[in-house]
Amino acid sequence: MDRNFHNKLHNDIFKSYSETIWVYLKGSNTKGVDYDPFRNTGYVKSIKNPEPVKAHVRQIQGNSLVARELGLVESGAIEIVIKSCDESLFRLCEKVMYNDKEYTPFNKALGNRVQIFTSPFDFTRVVLFQKGS
């Protein structure tokens, strides 16, 4: 079988089972009510309207997530498969939302809280951890 057939097959499966993930890109910093020009504080960060990204979403089990000194942390994580052209959105975003839950963005991830892997057929796998855990 040739590569075009496999590529079409993967794209058809992706379209059939994909869900929407909302990616919020950074807007700009504006002067807020408590803006102080001498201390350079009081800016309000504005976030642009969300961009919908189609992805195949899979929940990751709690026992395979994060262990700390006090034991297992129930943080919640998802693995998503996206088209490779959408990878830059996840690298530059300020906020990621799926099913009314917020996930850690790439630029604020500490200790492998976001992992990005390339996959064949022009897809990318991204592992996102739930924020606040």
Side-chain angles (χ1 to χ4, degrees):
M1 293 192 186
D2 62 346
R3 186 164 175 85
N4 290 335
F5 175 75
H6 286 291
N7 199 9
K8 183 176 177 350
L9 182 66
H10 281 270
N11 284 329
D12 289 345
I13 291 172
F14 183 77
K15 285 179 186 175
S16 299
Y17 294 103
S18 62
E19 301 177 55
T20 302
I21 292 186
W22 297 98
V23 177
Y24 294 80
L25 298 173
K26 181 179 179 182
S28 62
N29 290 336
T30 57
K31 297 175 184 176
V33 217
D34 56 347
Y35 171 71
D36 187 358
F38 301 107
R39 294 188 182 122
N40 201 19
T41 59
Y43 288 102
V44 176
K45 187 188 303 183
S46 64
I47 296 178
K48 292 183 178 181
N49 290 336
E51 296 282 333
V53 175
K54 291 294 187 182
H56 178 265
V57 181
R58 182 178 71 92
Q59 297 290 330
I60 297 178
Q61 298 299 324
N63 58 0
S64 65
L65 293 177
V66 180
R68 293 194 182 152
E69 300 87 27
L70 300 177
L72 185 66
V73 177
E74 293 183 23
S75 57
I78 57 173
E79 178 186 37
I80 61 174
V81 177
I82 58 173
K83 297 233 179 209
S84 292
C85 60
D86 293 330
E87 178 183 343
S88 61
L89 289 174
F90 285 91
R91 289 192 183 272
L92 300 172
C93 69
E94 283 290 314
K95 186 164 115 175
V96 179
M97 298 287 292
Y98 173 69
N99 279 352
D100 297 328
K101 294 179 184 171
E102 187 173 349
Y103 292 88
T104 306
F106 182 78
N107 61 355
K108 294 182 181 159
L110 295 173
N112 294 331
R113 299 291 280 182
V114 172
Q115 300 170 6
I116 298 176
F117 307 101
T118 57
S119 293
F121 302 108
D122 206 26
F123 288 102
T124 301
R125 284 181 28 224
V126 181
V127 177
L128 298 169
F129 286 79
Q130 195 170 335
K131 197 168 186 177
S133 48

